[in-house]
Amino acid sequence: MSDAHKVTVVPEAVIAGLLSEEEAFEAVEATFGAMARGAAYNFPVIREAIGHADALYGFKSGFDRESLAMGLKSGGYWPGNEARGLTNHQSTVILFDADTGRVKALVGGNLLTALRTAAASAVSIRHLARPDARVLGMIGAGHQSTFQMRAALKQRDFEKVVGWNYHPEMLVRLETLAGELGLPFEAVSLEEMGAQADVIVSITSSFAPSMMADWVRPGTHLACMGTDTKGKQEVEAALLARATVFTDEITQSVSIGEAQHAVAAGLIAEGDIVEIGAVINGAHPGRSTADEITLFDGTGVGLQDLAVAAKVVEVAVARGGATELAF
Ligand code: NAD
């Protein structure tokens, strides 16, 4: 008996040219649908301060019985990397063969993380924002922000972008992208954003609310994407009580997502939160009135990583870009 086989390797450097935003969108949308049908589930997330290099290390994993995506994304945050000319956030996806348990592929996970996170908020906009949304509000101007903005702008006929960032000098990043895409950009206060925006995407590392409940006007859709850890927070908890709250996964939403604060304060209950997959599958109507505030709590699940990694392996094998290792 020999277990020798080939392992497909898709290096970080080739991924940019391989996976389109549309492919990432479709992979993430299908995954959310499978999760809500109970066909796919995420294993509990591990993320630990390891007491070396100030690093946070861990993994996200899961299994999708429909697509047979199985594996894990491992990595974390090494704050000293930048000084070495390396990216602080590091991750790699390992895929396994669901029929045999043998390792199938090694895939760079850094760009994929940005693409799958942007795809998640885009999926929420596609399914929950008002069809006539015209002004996009961006809270946050860090590494993820431009991926978020690009994917969001594809979902409606947006005519303008308004932006706010805790560090205002970083807003040039959003302004430049808006210019490239031929849209006007305005730096605004958060109150002004609430008054103007039809859709608001937040992607910050904040531990205190930036957007207050009273500043958001009826009919707005918010995609809160930054809160993925206990203690982080981007919007006032009272906003979740005003909104219909959707999420990728309820377990993560109430423990590490934006909803953790509203649930802890008793403003909403776990049972009030709807999995976005239920909307995708047609089991929940999603937005029911033009005045409803909808809020997507995007916590980031391992199955998103597996879905986009599986897609990029498929594309790399078909179009070139993958190498094979004897294993
Ligand atoms: P980054 O470090 O490049 O940018 C951080 C952003 O947060 C900047 O806009 C910065 O100005 C802002 N910020 C910092 N301190 C703040 C404060 N006190 N109040 C308000 N804003 C503040 O990070 P990034 O790579 O763009 O990631 C942003 C966040 O998104 C991180 O918290 C990250 O963990 C999270 N994230 C979530 C997912 C997901 O699936 N939900 C995926 C990737 C990243």
Side-chain angles (χ1 to χ4, degrees):
M1 197 179 295
S2 166
D3 286 329
H5 68 291
K6 302 275 190 217
V7 173
T8 304
V9 179
V10 187
E12 185 67 46
V14 304
I15 290 176
L18 283 178
L19 191 74
S20 68
E21 271 171 22
E22 287 71 22
E23 286 165 327
F25 183 102
E26 283 165 20
V28 168
E29 187 183 46
T31 296
F32 289 161
M35 283 166 55
R37 279 192 296 277
Y41 67 109
N42 295 287
F43 301 169
V45 175
I46 305 286
R47 196 166 162 89
E48 302 278 334
I50 56 172
H52 176 75
D54 278 338
L56 290 174
Y57 167 73
F59 45 93
K60 290 186 164 183
S61 58
F63 178 49
D64 183 334
R65 283 196 306 275
E66 288 175 359
S67 70
L68 299 185
M70 183 170 100
L72 57 91
K73 177 171 85 169
S74 186
Y77 186 72
W78 275 259
N81 273 7
E82 205 172 329
R84 304 171 176 207
L86 302 171
T87 309
N88 287 356
H89 289 275
Q90 287 293 333
S91 58
T92 305
V93 180
I94 307 175
L95 296 175
F96 295 90
D97 182 333
D99 294 322
T100 63
R102 296 193 310 183
V103 61
K104 205 161 79 170
L106 282 180
V107 187
N110 295 354
L111 178 59
L112 284 186
T113 298
L115 291 173
R116 64 76 146 151
T117 306
S121 60
V123 165
S124 84
I125 295 168
R126 170 95 51 103
H127 289 279
L128 297 171
R130 292 193 333 269
D132 62 351
R134 294 293 174 266
V135 178
L136 173 67
M138 291 292 308
I139 302 177
H143 174 69
Q144 302 283 334
S145 64
T146 49
F147 294 93
Q148 290 287 330
M149 184 171 145
R150 236 179 231 287
L153 286 171
K154 295 224 167 104
Q155 303 310 318
R156 293 291 185 269
D157 294 327
F158 286 107
E159 293 169 352
K160 182 181 178 186
V161 180
V162 293
W164 177 89
N165 194 46
Y166 186 74
H167 304 97
E169 69 281 3
M170 290 165 73
L171 281 173
V172 66
R173 203 176 220 156
L174 304 181
E175 186 171 11
T176 304
L177 178 58
E180 280 167 23
L181 299 173
L183 288 176
F185 176 84
E186 191 186 343
V188 293
S189 67
L190 285 163
E191 261 179 290
E192 184 58 29
M193 181 184 296
Q196 283 199 39
D198 303 303
V199 172
I200 296 174
V201 175
S202 59
I203 182 79
T204 70
S205 49
S206 177
F207 280 80
S210 302
M211 181 57 87
M212 296 295 145
D214 287 348
W215 298 343
V216 175
R217 62 178 178 167
T220 303
H221 173 67
L222 298 103
C224 300
M225 305 305 296
T227 299
D228 57 359
T229 305
K230 196 167 170 47
K232 281 189 184 170
Q233 186 172 11
E234 299 192 293
V235 302
E236 192 182 13
L239 180 57
L240 282 86
R242 269 186 81 197
T244 310
V245 181
F246 300 83
T247 189
D248 41 21
E249 192 197 82
I250 290 168
T251 312
Q252 288 196 183
S253 174
V254 300
S255 55
I256 59 170
E258 196 62 40
Q260 60 181 294
H261 308 286
V263 170
L267 296 172
I268 63 167
E270 188 170 328
D272 296 327
I273 306 172
V274 181
E275 274 194 332
I276 186 93
V279 182
I280 293 165
N281 295 340
H284 185 282
R287 165 179 295 280
S288 52
T289 69
D291 280 347
E292 185 177 4
I293 295 175
T294 52
L295 186 148
F296 175 65
D297 181 6
T299 66
V301 295
L303 283 167
Q304 279 171 267
D305 298 299
L306 304 187
V308 289
K311 184 68 196 177
V312 93
V313 168
E314 183 191 313
V315 174
V317 168
R319 291 189 217 149
T323 52
E324 298 216 309
L325 288 181
F327 195 76

